[in-house]
Amino acid sequence: MSFSFTNPEPDRDRSFSFTGPQPGSDDGRSFSFTGSDPADIDRQLQTIADMATEILRLVADVRRQINT
């Protein structure tokens, strides 16, 4: 998994890119977004953080089930 962030000149958009673990493969875990509105970027990053939190919760649930 890789993450890149470009913060160009003030008059250009910021760009975010998240890619899957295998370079060049599109397994549905890769996405990118670009924006100039800090509030919109914050909303998108919060959505990503919320998804990650839910994934970690589900992983913990599965591990508990496996160990019981």
Side-chain angles (χ1 to χ4, degrees), residues 2 6 13-14 16-17 21 24 36 41 43 48-50 56 60:
S2 67
T6 47
D13 289 344
R14 290 180 174 95
F16 297 85
S17 176
S36 58
I41 291 170
R43 280 190 298 275
I48 294 166
D50 293 345
L56 292 173

Side-chain angles (χ1 to χ4, degrees), residues 5 9 18 24 36 53 63:
F5 165 69
E9 300 301 315
F18 298 84
S36 58
T53 300
R63 285 186 173 151

Side-chain angles (χ1 to χ4, degrees), residues 41-57:
I41 291 170
D42 188 59
R43 280 190 298 275
Q44 292 184 59
L45 290 172
Q46 186 60 51
T47 298
I48 294 166
D50 293 345
M51 288 187 304
T53 300
E54 179 64 9
I55 289 167
L56 292 173
R57 186 191 67 75

Side-chain angles (χ1 to χ4, degrees), residues 15-28:
S15 176
F16 297 85
S17 176
F18 298 84
T19 57
Q22 300 299 322
S25 68
D26 184 8
D27 59 3

Side-chain angles (χ1 to χ4, degrees), residues 23-41:
S25 68
D26 184 8
D27 59 3
R29 295 185 287 177
S30 301
F31 61 94
S32 62
F33 60 91
T34 301
S36 58
D37 178 16
D40 185 46
I41 291 170

